[in-house]
Amino acid sequence: MTKQGSWEYITNQSVIKQCVNPLDPAPPHKRERRKQERPGELIEAALDLFVEKGFAATRVEEVAARAGVSKGTLFLYFSSKEDLFKAVVRENLVSPFVQGAAEVGQFQGHCGELLEWMLLQWWHRYGATKTSGISKLIMSEATNFPELAAFYRHEVIEPAQALVRSVLQRGIDQGEFRPVDVELALHSVIAPVLFLVMWKHSLGPCCPASEQINPEEFITQHARLLVRGLSPV
Amino acid sequence: MTKQGSWEYITNQSVIKQCVNPLDPAPPHKRERRKQERPGELIEAALDLFVEKGFAATRVEEVAARAGVSKGTLFLYFSSKEDLFKAVVRENLVSPFVQGAAEVGQFQGHCGELLEWMLLQWWHRYGATKTSGISKLIMSEATNFPELAAFYRHEVIEPAQALVRSVLQRGIDQGEFRPVDVELALHSVIAPVLFLVMWKHSLGPCCPASEQINPEEFITQHARLLVRGLSPV
Amino acid sequence: MTKQGSWEYITNQSVIKQCVNPLDPAPPHKRERRKQERPGELIEAALDLFVEKGFAATRVEEVAARAGVSKGTLFLYFSSKEDLFKAVVRENLVSPFVQGAAEVGQFQGHCGELLEWMLLQWWHRYGATKTSGISKLIMSEATNFPELAAFYRHEVIEPAQALVRSVLQRGIDQGEFRPVDVELALHSVIAPVLFLVMWKHSLGPCCPASEQINPEEFITQHARLLVRGLSPV
Amino acid sequence: MTKQGSWEYITNQSVIKQCVNPLDPAPPHKRERRKQERPGELIEAALDLFVEKGFAATRVEEVAARAGVSKGTLFLYFSSKEDLFKAVVRENLVSPFVQGAAEVGQFQGHCGELLEWMLLQWWHRYGATKTSGISKLIMSEATNFPELAAFYRHEVIEPAQALVRSVLQRGIDQGEFRPVDVELALHSVIAPVLFLVMWKHSLGPCCPASEQINPEEFITQHARLLVRGLSPV
DNA sequence: CATGAATGAGTGTTCATTCAT
DNA sequence: CATGAATGAACACTCATTCAT
């Protein structure tokens, strides 16, 4: 019970965090507006550019320009380019599972259907959005920013895995799935969609239109393949 | 006789030496002439550093130093940093792949088994080695070096996809697999192993031992899930 | 009163200072902000060094140092070494020429006199100054920097030729000169003064005083020889 | 007399020099041929390249390659690139006036005709040939190689000036020319043809065909303009 | 003698970071 | 607070010169 409680507490915290998020503040006084919004505007600009060009290839001057301030001002809010990068990742690490997890918990019905629905939801709410660039960013720069990698693992990967794990386990418990190794199967579910995100932000853009993957179709077929592979008999 | 004997002995020694360590033959001179070995040594050093630090963050001088030569010497063998990278890819990905593809062509038997075998082979020969860092590197830096990305797509990705595609198609033609969309299924096969490689070179190292994925087990189960999912009835 | 007087005196001084040496106004700060003056100072420094050592042999760092700034600052104002050179040419050759050409247009009188006057003016305003080193420089390095050569031809040579051509043609039309081939005659006018410039910046300095050419006398006599050679009867 | 004798002696010397010139040796033994010819071949290759690209832009490796030897071999014969440059200039400083001077001395007739003939001869024998690149080279690099400039002045310029001076003086003495300042007039004669050489090796090649100067026509018209300008009445 | 592999100081250019105003 | 001019340490790449063979 304590565990569950503390888990809820953490969840709440992160929800609160999301509200206090400087990107979305209560309407401030006109005079202070600019000042308070600065960091958020810089982070937003930086997110775009980091995702598009990577950490090394993004110039702070460009970030500042896109945020409509001077280069010097950027360093007033972030002590270094690395610091800015960390802030970008931290700020955008809104786990797309917080809300989704609740819905999943209330889901009544076949786990196979749930799995397919979950993956499609994940794609629509996260994978298809700009924010998914964060995942690419983290995988790309993990070795240079191990602390961010750990942060991401803890805040995003593990909750996501827990969610998928619970669905798979429920499917097995209900006799809907064969008793496979859940820890391994979990990656069969997650890997392709994470890969999709990586692809979208790396090699995808340099492939001709004829070779583009249709994400929804791919996810649907993949989910069905897996569910069929998991089903008993 | 003694003289002759000792002479023979020396001869043998140097022959042995050559077999044991061809990189260090006879007393090495300050200015060694090893035109034959240089490119290989440089490629090896470059592989290590590119994998470790990424393309942009690796300085050519470092590569040269690790190969035991000066900066200028590197440019004697490779006309640019990009050229060096291409050589690394050619040497470590293209050549081994060509060899592997030939073996697949000769395979007689169930396509399901072939699929599993292919993925495991791919893991042992490539995924498990440091060379697989190249794949991570490419995905990380593709947007900044479109020429490299195109080169990789053309030389590595497309041949690999063609191979998997042919196996899936054969399976369908032989009635072993259901007539799924091959272009989509292909990614269900490849994505998880590529993701495994990404993971290994990014977030993997910051996970505790307890959360490590056992690659062989994962690949085996994944292949079987897919094959089961693909099988008719 | 003394105070006021001395104050006035100081004010006057600084006004004078500004007139005498606008480069050193008020107490200079370590990090001076002189966006207005910088380009001019850099162009001036570049002119000196280009003339002295040639384009290729001049290092941008040296130019920056002579202008009292760092290497990076130079690139704040000029995007490349070639760009800097073009600015030097524009500032020192193109602008003054445009002004001179206007005066020629207003000249009323004998074309023979005009020719002599033009050549002498050209010498005083350009040939005799260090700026004329640019012409030598261009001829020396034209083959290596075709873009610069084309730029110079277009911006300097052709306008100058057009000017001389127009004077010759007018002389012929007015019956003051014989109807010679204007395109050839044009070079008889220009070549000697350009040669004078080349000489001044190449072999001249290594000739003993006794062999120095007096430019004004030479130009005067040359002009008169030509005019006499061009006159009818 | 002594003067004249020593002058002749020097003339002979330089003729002898020309014969001993490694570029044109008596047929040597086959075995030694290569060795003896090396420096000459290198100098020839270097002349071409220095003329074409200037000193700084010519790479010794290119010179060696054009001469068919390795880079190392070049340094066997010339201790440095500068040394090679000096050898090129020295070796090619065959005064085109040695033979011409004799012919001029024997000329009987109008000095005006002689002047025109001299300039045309000079063009055909020197200006139009590859060797005229030397003049361009020297003017371009004079400031970097003052000793070569002095050498050139002494060996080429002064004899040439003496020749032209003598013709002008004779013309004045014979009442064929007006008594102008000979030292100045001399440059009116020489400058245009030297300029022609500079032009040919610098900006000429980057001008469109329509703007090319026809050398013979220019020299002819220029000579006639001058002679007319010099003639009395 | 001739080679050519190796060197390393030097070049133009970029960009995160600083700091006087 | 905000600016933006200035900095200087890098970096990829070049090339005259050396020297072991």
Side-chain angles (χ1 to χ4, degrees), chain C residues 151-200:
Chain C
F151 172 76
Y152 181 79
R153 217 194 78 228
H154 187 254
E155 300 283 328
V156 180
I157 303 207
E158 289 185 352
Q161 290 185 344
L163 195 63
V164 174
R165 186 184 295 119
S166 74
V167 174
L168 289 173
Q169 193 60 55
R170 203 198 316 166
I172 292 170
D173 294 346
Q174 296 176 355
E176 201 179 329
F177 296 153
R178 286 182 297 124
V180 295
D181 184 321
V182 170
E183 288 310 307
L184 298 178
L186 191 162
H187 294 105
S188 286
V189 175
I190 295 173
V193 292
L194 272 184
F195 181 77
L196 205 56
V197 160
M198 288 287 315
W199 188 262
K200 182 187 164 197

Side-chain angles (χ1 to χ4, degrees), chain A residues 35 70-73 77:
Chain A
K35 268 187 241 179
S70 74
K71 214 174 2 172
T73 302
Y77 293 96

